[in-house]
Amino acid sequence: MSKPFLVLLLLLLGFNGLAQKVFLEGVVLADSGRKAISGARVSLKSSQQQTVTDQNGYFKIQLDKGKTELRISHMAYAELSTALSLRKDHHRTFYLKTNTQFLNEVQISGDQGILQSNLNNYHLLRAADLEKTPAFLGVHDLIKTIKTLPGIGNGGEGNAGLFVRGSNSGQNLVLFNHSVVYNPSHLLGFFSVFNSNAVEQVKFYKSGIPSEYGGRLSAVIDIKSNQAVADSLRLEAELSVLAASLNLKIPITKNWSFATSMRKTFMNHSVWPIVNRLGNRDESSNQMRYDFYDLNFSSALALTAKDRLFATFYMGADDFGFDIRRFQINNGMDWQNNAASLNWNRIVSDKIVLDNTLSYSGYRFNFGMQQEGFKAGVQSAIRDFSYHSALQVYLDQHQLKAGIDLNQHKFKPNTPFARNGLTDFDYGIANTYFADEGALFLSDDYQFSERLSIYAGLRLTYYRHTGPYNITSEDASVTHFPRSKTLSDELFLEPSFTARYHLNKQTALKFAYSRNVQTIHLIPVTASNFPSDFWMPSINGVPPEKGNQYSLGIFKEWADSGYEGYIDLYARDSKNAIEFSGGIMNLFENLRIEDHIYLGKGKSYGAEFFLKKKKGKFTGYLSYTLSRSERTFAEINEGQVFPFKYDRTHDLSLVSDYKLSPRWNLSALFTLATGNAYTKPVSRYLIAGNVVNEYGAYNSSRMPLYHRLDLSAGYQFHTGKYKSSLSLSVYNVYNKKNPMFNYYMARGSLSSGRVSVQEKSIALLPVLPAINYKVVFR
Amino acid sequence: MMNFCRSVFFVLLLLMAYSCKKPDKPAPYKPRFVVEGWIEKDDYPYVIVTHNLPFFTAIDSAQLAEVVIRYAKVTVSDGTETEVLTGMTDKRYFPYFLYRGTSLKGVTGGNYKLTVTYAGNTLEAETSIPKVTPLDSIWFVPRPKNNVQLNVRFKDAAADKNYYRMYTKLEKAKVFTPTLLSNQNDQYFNGQELQLQVNRGQDNNLTSKHDPYFMKGDTVMVKFSGIPQSGFEFWSSLQDEVLNGSNPLVGSTKALKTNIKGPGVGIWCGYASTIYRVIAQ
């Protein structure tokens, strides 16, 4: 580790290509369905050398000339061992048989070493990884699991957002089977919209974003369902105190299958009545109600041995209510995500794979507020159509990827309505924005030598805001722009670069850089990342956000003892970061959103530490992040630097899992993080008989330290033809009140000369035990 | 592995030491004057001058008595006449001391400049009195438990930019209280007839007592005022802070608007009011 890295690098540049070595490259496919198997480990019996297949099932490994025994393994398939005798570079396709025995029990993908997974710039999570963290009210969740990884800030209680390396939650690209999901959370972030039964694997990028992804500054969460053609009928049913779910896979023919996952909560009949009763004793009490559902459908069709079609459809919706009894104010929100995609994957030749996707994303949001006869609300809607095509070519030491991305957006953010008694308020013509984007990308993953590999990519994007569009000026006159008219446009380049260097077989260094541009923006309106935060595209006055991200890390694996870990340092900067001036009520008052937007700079840096134990009865990981995230806006805090709301000095997660017996399993999650930054009153004044707060420096105060412990225990029954499991979980074991929001309430009377100001906190969930029962039929 | 762990440990220690260095700067309290002034059509100007208080958790009567500024020079000018207002006790308005004129009266369309000087500080503000808009109709709608809800109707003038504010009180009460959603901007109903279901507001934000309705038989005074834009902006921001400051879903702007220039906050506002007396039934 102490060897001078640069000298070695220079030396290696001179020794590219070693004698007596040959390359074996190949594709690993499932024997049923001909689906490419990604994440299969390819190793040699004779040495420690190994590699992992990519998403097309492709791998490449360097071998000694002569006889070698090759082993290919994957948790869902039977291991394949084959003897090879190679004299020159060789290409071959391998088929793995489905391991039916293993399909019953989902296993953690511990076989994939950190050197492979993290050097790819992403964390790979599988359905099985989700089951290692304690379930919230009996439900395992993807986004909650991602939040335990280093560098990912938890926004605090009731916050759905993912804050990756000091960036905003709207700066993450969330793809579910190729379609963008604009609001990936069911409310309060306790559940993501991704039913874990419909998720096979997740690639989570937080640095060196590859060029095939575009449109966001911070991170990419690429979620895929199982695309294999199912070979047997499978039915799973799950019941917990708050939700029921059903998971079904039906083979229609040998090459065609259909799958569905459905989930529906009934918390308005279980959780909320209890929470409302426990929390509501005084006059400032609030009432809550909330439920959601998810529907996932997918169909996989193997047209030929080389062509596969995969169609998916997702629909999910939420309905939330929050009543402030003090003012008889009823708030309601409902929102719905829709996504559909059709993917055609063709293996053109041994070395060329073509992937085409047509996709649709839809999102709509309604917020309503009622105070007696006064009703007001806002509605937002988004509709996207996109086409993505990528050609992947495997040449000797190169993996080339080139493609095209076309997107068409329609945004209708925050259309207000208000009705007072019998009069409808006239808000004029609603803001509707049409924008389109076209991008070309090209990248090369170059295996420079056995020790050094380099990824370089470039993405060229043309973005424009087009008509039809109406601009309402202050005197209420409307200027109309027709359909073909371009109102603003921009052409930009986004480079991405990663260098990976192996110090030895178990240690590697990685440097990653990427420059990213974000053309659509999540405008933060509420105190806690509620879905009323809305999306809008870049227009005149709201330019694209631009940022650079750098990271340098050391990755280490102790294969024998079953540990792996890394330290990753990062720095980011961005310009045209957005803060919204005011609250949601300002959206009623002024139709020009751009007039309420502040633009500024962001900067964040930090160090991430990760240590994972993969072997033995006791497994788990510890992740810790030390970081800072700051912002500078001319209009906020008198132009002085202020901390980003989700700046986390410390962020720690400990996830552990203990296999007590083949039937019993215990798991625990402890999380601790610096509280959110917020703006606190520093003084007050009296006016019109009211005591009014004067607020101090922006985000200069902190919410208390956030910490929480969750525990769960699972038991597996084996009873004949079907399998079942029972799990007990406890959320917030020691009943810590983690406030999500602070406010100040003055009480007393001026005439009697006695006034006190109380700091009030809204904390959502007390200790919550849950029970969950799952049955699997085959 | 030991070496590696030791390196990790040192890096951690170093970073932790670094991260712990900064002490939190105490939030600064900036002393400021607070002005609440009004000039009604056909009435004299009234001005209350106080100062703000540091953020303590409790305010006692000594502090409350001390907020009032008694020896300021307060002048109001309509462009031709300038009057120095007289400080006097007034039991209706906290802190029970205000400055009042005895000569200059508000007229429709008049512009009024306020100047407050005190201990070397000068505060200035300007306002105007818009046109009077009458209420066309006032009636009550039955609600449970012998309660009734106030309803009003008026017609907005299409040619003018109008802002409105509404108050109610029981006849015997000393002062008017703004209604729950008391401010209206005609941007959204220009030239239309507007019918409002009116809920009574709280007396102030120090109480949680809130009764939106009147009782059958109450004698109700309804005050309906035209106000200028600066007044609308101030009162809307105050309403936003009071109603939404505690609502995490909505959030408030966290800064009240003001039209006071100089080291002060608050409002100097002209009103074109009509007061109606009705029996709730």
Side-chain angles (χ1 to χ4, degrees):
Chain A
M1 190 183 153
S2 57
K3 282 174 199 162
F5 167 63
L6 268 175
V7 175
L8 247 162
L9 190 84
L10 286 170
L11 275 173
L12 272 155
L13 291 173
F15 286 99
N16 181 23
L18 299 164
Q20 302 300 318
K21 296 271 187 182
V22 289
F23 280 105
L24 170 69
E25 58 180 331
V27 178
V28 181
L29 301 176
D31 62 345
S32 61
R34 309 281 169 183
K35 179 208 167 202
I37 299 172
S38 69
R41 184 162 69 157
V42 182
S43 58
L44 301 178
K45 266 197 175 154
S46 53
S47 76
Q48 283 198 6
Q49 211 175 332
Q50 59 173 24
T51 186
V52 175
T53 57
D54 71 4
Q55 80 267 27
N56 293 317
Y58 176 86
F59 73 92
K60 182 166 188 169
I61 193 164
Q62 201 175 35
L63 319 168
D64 290 327
K65 268 189 182 172
K67 281 194 175 171
T68 325
E69 196 166 339
L70 192 74
R71 204 179 342 190
I72 303 176
S73 58
H74 186 281
M75 60 168 182
Y77 300 90
E79 187 177 286
L80 177 78
S81 282
T82 176
L84 296 167
S85 179
L86 299 180
R87 294 222 172 72
K88 55 176 186 171
D89 292 357
H90 184 69
H91 188 283
R92 197 172 147 178
T93 304
F94 299 89
Y95 295 96
L96 298 190
K97 283 203 166 72
T98 308
N99 191 340
T100 47
Q101 186 190 334
F102 272 120
L103 264 187
N104 281 335
E105 286 165 40
V106 202
Q107 291 210 332
I108 193 159
S109 60
D111 54 342
Q112 184 174 0
I114 197 160
L115 290 185
Q116 275 74 32
S117 63
N118 287 303
L119 289 185
N120 281 329
N121 283 352
Y122 57 79
H123 271 278
L124 184 73
L125 290 167
R126 292 173 190 281
D129 294 327
L130 310 185
E131 310 212 342
K132 289 266 175 175
T133 49
F136 169 67
L137 299 182
V139 178
H140 294 285
D141 191 76
L142 170 67
I143 300 284
K144 286 196 79 185
T145 306
I146 288 179
K147 282 183 181 177
T148 63
L149 297 173
I152 323 304
N154 176 346
E157 176 120 313
N159 192 313
L162 273 183
F163 302 93
V164 181
R165 292 185 162 174
S167 297
N168 207 343
S169 63
Q171 292 170 333
N172 304 323
L173 179 66
V174 183
L175 295 170
F176 187 36
N177 290 322
H178 313 281
S179 303
V180 172
V181 178
Y182 279 94
N183 181 3
S185 284
H186 288 304
L187 188 70
L188 311 172
F190 294 119
F191 309 95
S192 67
V193 300
F194 313 110
N195 181 343
S196 60
N197 290 320
V199 172
E200 187 195 38
Q201 67 158 38
V202 182
K203 282 182 185 167
F204 175 61
Y205 295 85
K206 58 182 176 181
S207 69
I209 310 290
S211 297
E212 67 216 70
Y213 299 106
R216 299 291 189 283
L217 282 196
S218 175
V220 175
I221 302 162
D222 189 357
I223 301 150
K224 296 247 167 77
S225 297
N226 189 346
Q227 303 195 3
V229 177
D231 53 3
S232 62
L233 184 76
R234 184 180 168 92
L235 175 66
E236 288 176 17
E238 208 167 329
L239 187 71
S240 72
V241 287
L242 73 159
S245 75
L246 192 73
N247 196 18
L248 178 69
K249 276 186 183 161
I250 314 166
I252 295 166
T253 68
K254 200 179 149 219
N255 293 324
W256 184 24
S257 71
F258 177 81
T260 178
S261 302
M262 305 177 199
R263 176 166 70 158
K264 168 98 181 78
T265 62
F266 38 81
M267 291 185 276
N268 287 342
H269 304 286
S270 56
V271 180
W272 301 124
I274 301 167
V275 171
N276 288 337
R277 199 169 305 155
L278 286 178
N280 290 346
R281 295 213 177 92
D282 65 346
E283 34 109 357
S284 64
S285 63
N286 306 309
Q287 289 280 336
M288 198 135 67
R289 68 190 151 75
Y290 173 61
D291 262 321
F292 70 82
Y293 72 84
D294 286 317
L295 296 172
N296 289 280
F297 299 99
S298 69
S299 182
L301 172 66
L303 276 178
T304 68
K306 289 186 168 180
D307 294 273
R308 284 182 296 115
L309 285 179
F310 186 63
T312 62
F313 175 70
Y314 168 81
M315 186 165 89
D318 297 59
D319 190 2
F320 172 69
F322 184 74
D323 300 340
I324 300 176
R325 294 199 298 205
R326 202 151 35 106
F327 297 119
Q328 294 169 315
I329 291 175
N330 307 313
N331 293 290
M333 284 199 270
D334 60 87
W335 62 99
Q336 185 174 339
N337 281 293
N338 293 319
S341 70
L342 180 65
N343 174 253
W344 170 39
N345 184 284
R346 177 172 170 80
I347 301 168
V348 180
S349 77
D350 286 350
K351 299 193 172 195
I352 301 173
V353 178
L354 178 67
D355 199 65
N356 288 294
T357 309
L358 266 176
S359 64
Y360 156 81
S361 297
Y363 176 60
R364 102 186 143 58
F365 168 76
N366 291 309
F367 171 84
M369 188 172 161
Q370 184 172 7
Q371 204 290 325
E372 277 281 318
F374 176 71
K375 282 183 199 166
V378 285
Q379 298 177 331
S380 292
I382 306 173
R383 189 219 61 203
D384 278 8
F385 289 107
S386 31
Y387 171 67
H388 179 91
S389 177
L391 190 70
Q392 199 158 352
V393 181
Y394 300 91
L395 297 171
D396 294 338
Q397 280 140 295
H398 298 270
Q399 270 189 44
L400 294 169
K401 203 166 197 177
I404 184 170
D405 240 339
L406 301 172
N407 284 293
Q408 194 203 55
H409 307 286
K410 178 186 175 185
F411 289 85
K412 209 172 169 186
N414 281 295
T415 309
F417 71 90
R419 185 183 174 81
N420 197 333
L422 299 173
T423 312
D424 285 318
F425 284 19
D426 175 15
Y427 288 97
I429 305 164
N431 288 314
T432 307
Y433 306 99
F434 290 87
D436 44 50
E437 255 172 295
L440 295 170
F441 59 88
L442 176 67
S443 68
D444 183 12
D445 205 337
Y446 177 33
Q447 183 77 38
F448 199 81
S449 71
E450 210 175 318
R451 285 177 184 263
L452 179 69
S453 65
I454 285 168
Y455 170 91
L458 198 61
R459 185 180 175 92
L460 176 73
T461 306
Y462 176 67
Y463 169 85
R464 60 178 185 157
H465 169 214
T466 67
Y469 183 58
N470 295 299
I471 295 177
T472 310
S473 57
E474 284 204 1
D475 60 2
S477 67
V478 177
T479 317
H480 178 74
F481 296 88
R483 177 171 288 277
S484 54
K485 178 83 181 163
T486 299
L487 283 109
S488 62
D489 63 346
E490 195 168 350
L491 184 71
F492 44 85
L493 269 179
E494 295 164 276
S496 172
F497 175 82
T498 306
R500 295 156 288 217
Y501 181 77
H502 283 255
L503 294 169
N504 56 46
K505 281 215 167 65
Q506 303 205 328
T507 315
L509 294 171
K510 183 180 79 178
F511 169 77
Y513 165 77
S514 66
R515 177 175 163 73
N516 303 95
V517 180
Q518 176 155 354
T519 52
I520 61 170
H521 316 280
L522 180 66
I523 313 292
V525 182
T526 50
S528 189
N529 206 68
F530 280 116
S532 42
D533 293 356
F534 64 92
W535 290 91
M536 73 174 288
S538 294
I539 57 171
N540 277 323
V542 190
E545 299 166 58
K546 295 180 179 177
N548 293 297
Q549 40 173 290
Y550 310 82
S551 72
L552 177 65
I554 178 163
F555 298 78
K556 177 108 180 124
E557 187 177 32
W558 297 273
D560 300 333
S561 50
Y563 284 92
E564 62 181 41
Y566 66 75
I567 300 174
D568 210 2
L569 307 174
Y570 70 85
R572 288 179 168 196
D573 62 70
S574 67
K575 62 175 188 179
N576 302 332
I578 289 178
E579 298 265 347
F580 187 73
S581 72
I584 204 167
M585 295 316 277
N586 295 71
L587 297 171
F588 293 98
E589 286 155 23
N590 201 312
L591 289 177
R592 281 170 58 87
I593 294 164
E594 54 269 42
D595 294 343
H596 284 267
I597 277 171
Y598 295 144
L599 297 172
K601 288 181 190 158
K603 192 171 81 175
S604 62
Y605 47 93
E608 298 172 355
F609 303 86
F610 184 70
L611 185 67
K612 183 173 184 177
K613 183 178 183 294
K614 301 185 293 180
K615 279 188 180 171
K617 282 186 166 181
F618 183 76
T619 57
Y621 55 89
L622 173 71
S623 66
Y624 171 71
T625 310
L626 183 68
S627 65
R628 177 166 293 181
S629 178
E630 297 168 336
R631 297 191 148 200
T632 316
F633 282 65
E635 295 93 344
I636 301 175
N637 214 24
E638 294 161 354
Q640 301 288 307
V641 175
F642 62 89
F644 179 49
K645 182 174 173 188
Y646 303 104
D647 173 40
R648 295 272 175 272
T649 311
H650 305 285
D651 194 341
L652 178 122
S653 293
L654 181 62
V655 176
S656 57
D657 187 77
Y658 185 68
K659 210 155 178 57
L660 200 63
S661 73
R663 292 190 166 204
W664 277 103
N665 176 60
L666 304 172
S667 60
L669 163 68
F670 176 70
T671 178
L672 177 146
T674 308
N676 287 347
Y678 76 107
T679 311
K680 195 175 178 167
V682 287
S683 51
R684 55 196 166 181
Y685 56 90
L686 310 169
I687 198 157
N690 296 298
V691 176
V692 176
N693 295 319
E694 281 189 292
Y695 291 87
Y698 195 76
N699 281 354
S700 63
S701 296
R702 290 289 177 157
M703 300 291 274
L705 191 73
Y706 179 96
H707 54 96
R708 193 190 81 228
L709 176 70
D710 306 339
L711 294 174
S712 74
Y715 184 78
Q716 302 240 348
F717 298 94
H718 291 274
T719 40
K721 272 193 78 179
Y722 62 91
K723 251 182 64 171
S724 61
S725 60
L726 187 69
S727 78
L728 293 162
S729 59
V730 185
Y731 176 84
N732 196 2
V733 172
Y734 53 88
N735 197 22
K736 170 80 168 66
K737 287 223 182 315
N738 286 307
M740 60 179 280
F741 184 72
N742 277 357
Y743 62 95
Y744 300 84
M745 205 162 75
R747 282 292 172 264
S749 140
L750 292 173
S751 54
S752 73
R754 218 154 260 296
V755 175
S756 71
V757 178
Q758 300 155 16
E759 183 178 86
K760 291 264 177 183
S761 296
I762 297 179
L764 289 175
L765 295 181
V767 53
L768 278 179
I771 187 161
N772 188 48
Y773 184 66
K774 181 175 180 174
V775 198
V776 181
F777 305 92
R778 280 180 69 86
Chain B
M1 170 153 180
M2 274 326 289
N3 265 335
F4 182 81
C5 283
R6 209 173 299 148
S7 319
V8 171
F9 180 73
F10 279 122
V11 171
L12 255 171
L13 209 70
L14 213 79
L15 284 165
M16 279 184 150
Y18 171 72
S19 72
C20 294
K21 73 174 169 54
K22 40 110 213 214
D24 255 8
K25 268 184 276 174
Y29 156 66
K30 284 186 198 156
R32 276 201 274 214
F33 295 100
V34 183
V35 176
E36 183 186 351
W38 63 95
I39 179 163
E40 293 268 7
K41 183 171 105 46
D42 303 327
D43 199 358
Y44 304 115
Y46 291 76
V47 178
I48 296 170
V49 185
T50 56
H51 67 79
N52 64 351
L53 288 165
F55 201 85
F56 298 122
T57 51
I59 312 173
D60 56 25
S61 47
Q63 283 174 302
L64 286 178
E66 181 263 343
V67 296
V68 63
I69 307 283
R70 286 174 194 275
Y71 302 104
K73 184 185 175 197
V74 180
T75 55
V76 173
S77 167
D78 65 359
T80 50
E81 187 188 347
T82 300
E83 187 187 5
V84 178
L85 309 191
T86 316
M88 60 180 69
T89 302
D90 190 319
K91 285 288 168 206
R92 290 174 297 173
Y93 307 103
F94 185 85
Y96 314 124
F97 182 90
L98 49 69
Y99 298 88
R100 209 191 108 172
T102 50
S103 155
L104 190 148
K105 276 190 174 180
V107 293
T108 301
N111 289 300
Y112 302 94
K113 186 176 178 185
L114 170 74
T115 309
V116 178
T117 52
Y118 179 75
N121 298 289
T122 304
L123 308 169
E124 288 179 329
E126 285 180 60
T127 192
S128 57
I129 297 180
K131 285 183 194 161
V132 169
T133 303
L135 290 177
D136 294 336
S137 174
I138 300 174
W139 70 101
F140 291 88
V141 173
R143 293 288 172 200
K145 292 190 205 159
N146 217 26
N147 283 323
V148 288
Q149 184 182 34
L150 177 66
N151 280 246
V152 300
R153 187 167 59 226
F154 65 93
K155 176 97 165 57
D156 179 71
D160 302 323
K161 179 70 211 142
N162 296 306
Y163 301 93
Y164 304 103
R165 184 161 164 83
M166 193 184 293
Y167 310 74
T168 59
K169 69 168 192 147
L170 294 175
E171 192 176 35
K172 59 183 187 291
K174 277 190 285 187
V175 289
F176 278 100
T177 306
T179 59
L180 189 58
L181 299 163
S182 52
N183 312 298
Q184 305 289 344
N185 177 353
D186 80 345
Q187 184 183 349
Y188 313 115
F189 50 85
N190 190 35
Q192 291 181 42
E193 187 167 76
L194 189 68
Q195 181 175 316
L196 300 175
Q197 284 178 293
V198 181
N199 286 307
R200 297 168 72 184
Q202 290 175 295
D203 291 347
N204 52 52
N205 72 343
L206 296 173
T207 172
S208 49
K209 224 183 90 191
H210 176 225
D211 181 4
Y213 307 127
F214 293 97
M215 294 290 285
K216 262 186 197 157
D218 283 346
T219 305
V220 179
M221 309 295 284
V222 179
K223 177 168 145 181
F224 187 59
S225 310
I227 52 174
Q229 183 179 352
S230 57
F232 174 78
E233 285 174 355
F234 172 82
W235 292 117
S236 296
S237 67
L238 178 66
Q239 174 181 291
D240 186 35
E241 171 72 25
V242 170
L243 275 186
N244 301 325
S246 62
N247 187 344
L249 256 65
V250 180
S252 87
T253 52
K254 303 215 155 167
L256 264 59
K257 303 266 186 183
T258 180
N259 66 345
I260 308 295
K261 295 187 184 79
V265 291
I267 182 67
W268 165 237
C269 186
Y271 296 83
S273 307
T274 319
I275 295 172
Y276 303 87
R277 181 177 179 276
V278 280
I279 309 289
Q281 51 197 342

